[in-house]
Amino acid sequence: MPAKVHIKDIWKGICELFYPALCLGCNRSLRGHEKVLCLSCQMQLPITSYHHQPENQTAILFSGRFRFQAATSFAYFTKDGLLQLLLHELKYKGRKKVGIYMGTLFGYELQQTNWVRTVDCIIPVPLHAKKQQARGFNQSECIAYGLSSVLQLPVLKHHVYRCKNTDSQTRKTRSQRLENMNEAFAIKDAASLEGKHVLLVDDVLTTGATLESCALCLLQVKGLKISIATIGIAYCFC
Ligand SMILES: [Zn+2]
């Protein structure tokens, strides 16, 4: 029996004939099963493999700052590197599918760990409402949906919100950053989070002040446990 052909698929095929989807890394046409990056560029992503090492750089950065189960980052973020290019497409060109793609790849990595099996839900670090309105979306949410598609976990995007629109963190000292982030987050419907293991997701880890502030807010919920997952980790901490 011949396979059913959908008009949608024919139209997609025609569009791709005239406007083939290109790899964001090398600009070559993508093959049928490839998304965002061709296989060769995907293999060049500077993956950390931190999920196999409990004492990794992400975990070390948060050690002693708050209580967590596991902390990991997917790939190294370097200036002009492939990950910077992908995150730029996501954040500043609004290509949400790039975020979903990265989250999906990360999901396959995390699937290999035991700790991820005890996670109940995924929470993307929220943006302040004004910032989200200006950008049109939250990049961490796209990553969370990619992770969710592999790990089959719900994404909770209304349980934590940002109540303070913090200014730029880049020129501040660590204590100034923490002061700036103090009480930046608040929780809605805390009862539904009681006893849950939350995977807190963000795009790039630099100082960790935002994640720390969000985690400290969530940890006020009774019995809640936290693990941290970021797509990028800044290669050089300055
Ligand atoms: Zn490529």
Side-chain angles (χ1 to χ4, degrees), residues 10 21 31 70 103 111 122 145 182 189 209 226 234:
I10 298 173
R31 294 185 194 149
Q111 225 176 15
I122 302 172
Y145 280 117
N182 193 23
D189 193 13
I226 280 193

Side-chain angles (χ1 to χ4, degrees), residues 22-30 34 36-42 44 82:
L22 302 177
C23 169
L24 277 182
C26 68
N27 262 335
R28 281 200 305 238
S29 298
L30 292 176
E34 294 172 336
V36 180
L37 292 180
C38 70
L39 206 55
S40 160
C41 286
Q42 191 177 304
Q44 287 171 43
L82 191 51

Side-chain angles (χ1 to χ4, degrees), residues 127-134 162:
L127 293 178
H128 189 269
K130 275 187 185 161
K131 201 166 188 176
Q132 179 148 348
Q133 203 175 19
R162 214 148 168 156

